[in-house]
Coordinates of all heavy atoms in Angstrom, one line a residue:
H1 N 0.9 -1.2 0.0 CA 0.0 0.0 0.0 C 0.9 1.2 0.0 O 1.9 1.3 0.7 CB -0.9 0.0 1.2 CG -1.8 -1.2 1.4 ND1 -2.8 -1.5 0.5 CD2 -1.7 -2.3 2.2 CE1 -3.4 -2.6 0.8 NE2 -2.7 -3.1 1.9
E2 N 0.6 2.2 -0.8 CA 1.4 3.4 -0.9 C 1.6 4.1 0.4 O 2.6 4.7 0.7 CB 0.8 4.4 -2.0 CG 0.9 3.9 -3.4 CD 2.4 3.7 -3.8 OE1 3.3 4.5 -3.4 OE2 2.6 2.7 -4.5
D3 N 0.5 4.2 1.2 CA 0.6 4.9 2.5 C 1.1 4.0 3.6 O 1.2 4.5 4.8 CB -0.8 5.5 2.9 CG -1.8 4.4 3.0 OD1 -1.6 3.3 2.4 OD2 -2.8 4.6 3.7
D4 N 1.5 2.8 3.3 CA 2.0 1.9 4.4 C 3.5 2.0 4.5 O 4.2 1.6 3.6 CB 1.6 0.5 3.9 CG 1.7 -0.5 5.1 OD1 2.1 -0.1 6.2 OD2 1.3 -1.7 4.9
S5 N 4.0 2.5 5.6 CA 5.4 2.7 5.8 C 6.0 1.6 6.7 O 7.0 1.7 7.3 CB 5.7 4.0 6.4 OG 5.0 4.1 7.7
Q6 N 5.2 0.5 6.8 CA 5.6 -0.6 7.7 C 6.9 -1.2 7.3 O 7.2 -1.4 6.1 CB 4.5 -1.7 7.5 CG 4.3 -2.6 8.7 CD 3.2 -3.6 8.3 OE1 3.4 -4.3 7.3 NE2 2.2 -3.6 9.0
Y7 N 7.8 -1.5 8.3 CA 9.0 -2.2 8.0 C 8.7 -3.7 8.0 O 7.6 -4.1 8.3 CB 10.1 -1.8 9.0 CG 10.8 -0.6 8.6 CD1 10.2 0.6 8.2 CD2 12.2 -0.6 8.7 CE1 10.9 1.7 7.9 CE2 12.9 0.5 8.3 CZ 12.3 1.7 7.9 OH 13.0 2.8 7.6
N8 N 9.7 -4.5 7.7 CA 9.5 -5.9 7.7 C 8.5 -6.4 6.6 O 7.4 -6.9 7.0 CB 9.2 -6.5 9.0 CG 10.4 -6.4 10.0 OD1 11.5 -6.4 9.5 ND2 10.1 -6.4 11.3
R9 N 8.8 -6.2 5.4 CA 8.0 -6.7 4.3 C 8.6 -8.0 3.8 O 9.8 -8.2 3.9 CB 8.0 -5.7 3.2 CG 7.4 -4.4 3.6 CD 7.0 -3.6 2.3 NE 6.3 -2.4 2.6 CZ 5.0 -2.4 2.9 NH1 4.3 -3.4 2.9 NH2 4.5 -1.2 3.1
Y10 N 7.7 -8.8 3.3 CA 8.1 -10.2 2.8 C 7.9 -10.3 1.3 O 6.9 -9.9 0.8 CB 7.3 -11.2 3.5 CG 7.5 -11.3 5.0 CD1 6.9 -10.4 5.9 CD2 8.5 -12.2 5.5 CE1 7.1 -10.5 7.3 CE2 8.7 -12.2 6.9 CZ 8.0 -11.4 7.7 OH 8.3 -11.4 9.1
F11 N 8.9 -10.9 0.7 CA 8.9 -11.0 -0.8 C 9.4 -12.4 -1.2 O 10.2 -13.0 -0.5 CB 9.8 -9.9 -1.5 CG 9.3 -8.5 -1.3 CD1 9.7 -7.8 -0.2 CD2 8.4 -8.0 -2.1 CE1 9.2 -6.5 0.0 CE2 7.9 -6.7 -1.9 CZ 8.3 -6.0 -0.8
S12 N 9.0 -12.8 -2.4 CA 9.6 -14.0 -3.0 C 10.3 -13.4 -4.2 O 9.8 -12.6 -5.0 CB 8.5 -14.9 -3.5 OG 9.0 -15.8 -4.4
V13 N 11.6 -13.7 -4.3 CA 12.5 -13.2 -5.4 C 13.1 -14.4 -6.1 O 13.4 -15.4 -5.5 CB 13.5 -12.2 -4.9 CG1 12.9 -11.0 -4.3 CG2 14.5 -12.9 -3.9
T14 N 13.3 -14.3 -7.4 CA 13.9 -15.3 -8.2 C 15.0 -14.7 -9.1 O 14.8 -13.7 -9.6 CB 12.9 -16.0 -9.1 OG1 11.8 -16.5 -8.3 CG2 13.5 -17.2 -9.9
L15 N 16.1 -15.4 -9.1 CA 17.2 -15.1 -10.0 C 17.8 -16.3 -10.6 O 17.6 -17.4 -10.1 CB 18.2 -14.1 -9.3 CG 18.7 -14.4 -7.9 CD1 19.6 -15.5 -7.8 CD2 19.3 -13.1 -7.4
K16 N 18.6 -16.1 -11.6 CA 19.2 -17.3 -12.4 C 20.7 -17.4 -12.2 O 21.3 -18.1 -13.0 CB 18.8 -17.3 -13.8 CG 17.3 -17.5 -14.0 CD 16.9 -17.5 -15.5 CE 15.5 -17.7 -15.7 NZ 15.0 -17.4 -17.0
E17 N 21.2 -16.7 -11.3 CA 22.7 -16.9 -11.0 C 22.8 -16.7 -9.5 O 21.9 -16.3 -8.8 CB 23.5 -15.8 -11.8 CG 23.1 -14.4 -11.5 CD 23.9 -13.4 -12.3 OE1 24.8 -13.9 -13.1 OE2 23.7 -12.3 -12.2
G18 N 23.9 -17.1 -9.0 CA 24.1 -17.1 -7.6 C 25.4 -16.4 -7.2 O 26.2 -17.0 -6.5
R19 N 25.5 -15.2 -7.6 CA 26.8 -14.5 -7.2 C 26.8 -14.2 -5.7 O 25.7 -14.2 -5.0 CB 26.8 -13.1 -7.9 CG 27.2 -13.3 -9.3 CD 27.5 -11.9 -9.9 NE 26.3 -11.4 -10.5 CZ 26.2 -10.1 -10.9 NH1 27.1 -9.3 -10.7 NH2 25.0 -9.7 -11.4
N20 N 27.9 -14.0 -5.1 CA 28.1 -13.8 -3.7 C 27.2 -12.8 -3.1 O 27.2 -11.6 -3.5 CB 29.6 -13.5 -3.4 CG 29.9 -13.5 -1.9 OD1 29.3 -14.3 -1.1 ND2 30.8 -12.7 -1.5
R21 N 26.3 -13.2 -2.2 CA 25.4 -12.3 -1.5 C 24.5 -11.4 -2.4 O 24.2 -10.3 -2.0 CB 26.1 -11.5 -0.4 CG 26.8 -12.3 0.6 CD 27.7 -11.5 1.6 NE 27.1 -10.3 2.0 CZ 26.3 -10.2 3.1 NH1 26.0 -11.2 3.8 NH2 25.8 -9.0 3.4
E22 N 24.2 -11.9 -3.6 CA 23.5 -11.1 -4.6 C 22.2 -10.6 -4.1 O 21.8 -9.4 -4.4 CB 23.4 -11.9 -5.9 CG 22.9 -11.1 -7.0 CD 23.0 -11.9 -8.3 OE1 23.2 -13.1 -8.3 OE2 22.7 -11.3 -9.4
V23 N 21.4 -11.4 -3.5 CA 20.0 -11.0 -3.1 C 20.2 -9.9 -2.1 O 19.5 -8.8 -2.2 CB 19.3 -12.2 -2.5 CG1 18.0 -11.7 -1.8 CG2 19.0 -13.3 -3.5
R24 N 21.1 -10.0 -1.1 CA 21.2 -9.0 -0.1 C 21.8 -7.7 -0.7 O 21.3 -6.6 -0.4 CB 22.2 -9.5 1.0 CG 21.7 -10.6 1.8 CD 22.7 -11.1 2.9 NE 22.2 -12.3 3.5 CZ 21.4 -12.3 4.6 NH1 20.9 -11.2 5.0 NH2 21.0 -13.5 5.1
R25 N 22.7 -7.8 -1.6 CA 23.3 -6.6 -2.2 C 22.3 -5.9 -3.1 O 22.4 -4.6 -3.1 CB 24.6 -7.0 -3.0 CG 25.7 -7.5 -2.1 CD 27.0 -7.7 -2.8 NE 26.9 -8.7 -3.8 CZ 27.4 -8.6 -5.1 NH1 28.0 -7.5 -5.4 NH2 27.2 -9.5 -6.0
L26 N 21.5 -6.6 -3.8 CA 20.4 -5.9 -4.6 C 19.5 -5.1 -3.7 O 19.2 -3.9 -4.0 CB 19.6 -6.9 -5.4 CG 20.2 -7.3 -6.7 CD1 19.6 -8.6 -7.3 CD2 20.1 -6.2 -7.7
W27 N 19.0 -5.7 -2.6 CA 18.2 -4.9 -1.7 C 18.9 -3.8 -1.0 O 18.3 -2.7 -0.9 CB 17.6 -5.9 -0.6 CG 16.5 -6.7 -1.1 CD1 16.5 -8.1 -1.4 CD2 15.1 -6.3 -1.4 NE1 15.3 -8.5 -1.9 CE2 14.4 -7.4 -1.9 CE3 14.5 -5.1 -1.3 CZ2 13.1 -7.4 -2.2 CZ3 13.1 -5.0 -1.6 CH2 12.5 -6.2 -2.1
E28 N 20.2 -4.0 -0.7 CA 20.9 -2.9 -0.1 C 21.1 -1.7 -1.1 O 21.1 -0.5 -0.7 CB 22.3 -3.4 0.4 CG 22.2 -4.2 1.7 CD 23.4 -5.0 2.0 OE1 24.5 -4.8 1.3 OE2 23.4 -5.8 3.0
A29 N 21.2 -2.0 -2.4 CA 21.4 -1.0 -3.4 C 20.2 -0.1 -3.5 O 20.3 1.0 -4.0 CB 21.7 -1.7 -4.7
V30 N 19.0 -0.6 -3.1 CA 17.8 0.3 -3.1 C 17.4 0.8 -1.7 O 16.3 1.3 -1.5 CB 16.6 -0.4 -3.7 CG1 16.9 -0.7 -5.2 CG2 16.2 -1.7 -3.0
G31 N 18.4 0.7 -0.8 CA 18.2 1.3 0.6 C 17.4 0.4 1.6 O 16.9 0.9 2.6
C32 N 17.4 -0.9 1.3 CA 16.7 -1.8 2.2 C 17.6 -2.8 2.9 O 18.7 -3.1 2.3 CB 15.6 -2.6 1.5 SG 14.3 -1.6 0.8
Q33 N 17.3 -3.2 4.0 CA 18.1 -4.2 4.8 C 17.4 -5.5 4.9 O 16.3 -5.6 5.3 CB 18.3 -3.6 6.2 CG 19.2 -4.5 7.1 CD 20.7 -4.4 6.7 OE1 21.1 -3.4 6.3 NE2 21.4 -5.5 6.9
V34 N 18.1 -6.6 4.5 CA 17.5 -7.9 4.5 C 17.7 -8.4 6.0 O 18.8 -8.4 6.5 CB 18.3 -8.9 3.6 CG1 17.8 -10.3 3.8 CG2 18.0 -8.5 2.1
S35 N 16.6 -8.8 6.6 CA 16.7 -9.3 8.0 C 16.5 -10.8 8.0 O 16.8 -11.4 9.1 CB 15.7 -8.6 8.9 OG 14.4 -8.7 8.4

């Protein structure tokens, strides 16, 4: 929801390569922290 500023959101993500810490680094690049 656009007005929802709740932290701790849950997602399913899929990628086709497995570079070192790639999922975490992608989220960090957009200002989010993987918990």
Side-chain angles (χ1 to χ4, degrees):
H1 303 288
E2 288 300 321
D3 60 337
D4 196 354
S5 62
Q6 209 182 57
Y7 273 48
N8 291 334
R9 297 199 175 277
Y10 295 85
F11 296 90
S12 167
V13 298
T14 304
L15 39 78
K16 291 182 181 167
E17 59 183 355
R19 286 189 270 166
N20 188 31
R21 297 175 45 85
E22 187 172 9
V23 173
R24 292 178 189 278
R25 292 185 302 133
L26 275 165
W27 282 105
E28 287 168 4
V30 294
C32 296
Q33 180 74 31
V34 172
S35 57

